[in-house]
Amino acid sequence: MTSGVAALWSARTSLRILVRRDLAVKYQQSVLGYLWSLIEPLGMGLIYWFVFGVLYSGATRRHLGDAAGSYPLFLITGIFAWMWASSALTEAANALTGQARLITTMNLPRQVFPIGRVTGRFAEYLAGLPILAAIAILYVAHGRIHLGWTLLALPLAVAVQFVLLMGLALLLSAGNVLMRDIERIMRLIIRVLFYATPIIYPLNLVRDSGMPGWLKIAYELNPLVGIFQLHHAIWYPDEFPDARLLTVTVAGSLLVFAVGWWAFRRLEPAVLKEL
């Protein structure tokens, strides 16, 4: 893995070029261009705010605590991070099958291609951070939230999410070449993960529910749970994951990355033969 990471680092210029190309191709025939990376999560946030912030506002406020007065910020924070995760996983599944000619002709570490998809979607996430910051400033001005040391949760959340997504991208991209059903299965899994992760609702809603204890434990074994707690903790200190959840999140993300890297290297000869 050490030599593989070193080879990947030496190919960082090629990775940057691939990311720019993917972004240019994705938006070249779009009138609004990169604005779509902002419009979609903002539109989703508006829909969920109407459902949970207006229609079911009573139930929402009971579980949000201090976040109840700034629920739109809570929503947008989670949805921006989710759009990065869901788009990266969706596109990573066909990262190799959709670029077969490049992969078989270019002398590059093949990990560059799935990791490039994760990096491209991260660039879109970065484009939305100014919008997120502007919304937060409005709530700070009205005294709804108070900024503090938990702003440091942002780089931690981004780093852990990046590691997790890279591991999953490597695993999915190689597996999809050998079994094309993976791309279709991922569409269903991504939908399930959206509701099985505290994106539009707080974690204490699950912890205070009547679910069996074993199911709650299984729920928190999902590394995305701790990652989205970190994202929410940027503005809401009470959402910062406890030591157990943070340990599970970091260890789980590193484990997924190691497994994804190992599986990609083991499957690479078969993948190249299939391509």
Side-chain angles (χ1 to χ4, degrees), residues 58-66 68 202-206 208-209 239:
T60 301
R61 290 179 180 276
R62 282 198 302 271
H63 293 281
L64 280 174
D66 294 338
L203 179 58
N204 61 22
L205 181 62
V206 176
D208 296 340
S209 69
E239 297 295 319

Side-chain angles (χ1 to χ4, degrees), residues 43-231:
M44 287 180 61
L46 182 62
I47 293 170
Y48 286 109
W49 169 78
F50 177 73
V51 174
F52 297 105
V54 177
L55 298 182
Y56 296 98
S57 59
T60 301
R61 290 179 180 276
R62 282 198 302 271
H63 293 281
L64 280 174
D66 294 338
S70 54
Y71 183 53
L73 177 62
F74 185 93
L75 271 178
I76 295 299
T77 300
I79 290 175
F80 265 88
W82 172 251
M83 292 302 295
W84 171 22
S86 62
S87 299
L89 294 179
T90 300
E91 296 185 18
N94 63 4
L96 300 181
T97 55
Q99 304 181 95
R101 181 172 297 181
L102 283 176
I103 293 168
T104 55
T105 56
M106 294 181 68
N107 185 23
L108 286 174
R110 275 79 187 193
Q111 295 93 330
V112 163
F113 296 94
I115 291 176
R117 296 297 175 87
V118 176
T119 306
R121 304 297 73 78
F122 173 63
E124 294 175 341
Y125 171 74
L126 287 179
L129 285 183
I131 302 295
L132 193 60
I135 297 173
I137 289 172
L138 288 176
Y139 282 111
V140 170
H142 288 84
R144 301 283 184 88
I145 63 172
H146 303 280
L147 303 183
W149 66 269
T150 51
L151 286 173
L152 298 175
L154 176 59
L156 178 58
V158 167
V160 178
Q161 185 168 339
F162 216 120
V163 169
L164 176 66
L165 292 180
M166 284 193 297
L168 291 173
L170 291 168
L171 192 60
L172 292 173
S173 60
N176 190 55
V177 175
L178 305 176
M179 189 173 66
R180 300 301 172 94
D181 291 338
I182 288 179
E183 187 174 357
R184 295 181 175 86
I185 293 172
M186 280 307 301
R187 297 172 189 169
L188 174 61
I189 293 177
I190 287 173
R191 291 178 184 175
V192 172
L193 281 176
F194 179 78
Y195 294 102
T197 306
I199 300 169
I200 60 176
Y201 58 85
L203 179 58
N204 61 22
L205 181 62
V206 176
R207 288 178 169 175
D208 296 340
S209 69
M211 290 196 310
W214 66 267
L215 189 56
K216 293 179 182 179
I217 294 173
Y219 175 90
E220 294 190 19
L221 288 177
N222 173 13
L224 286 173
V225 171
I227 289 172
F228 280 90
Q229 284 300 101
L230 286 171
H231 281 289

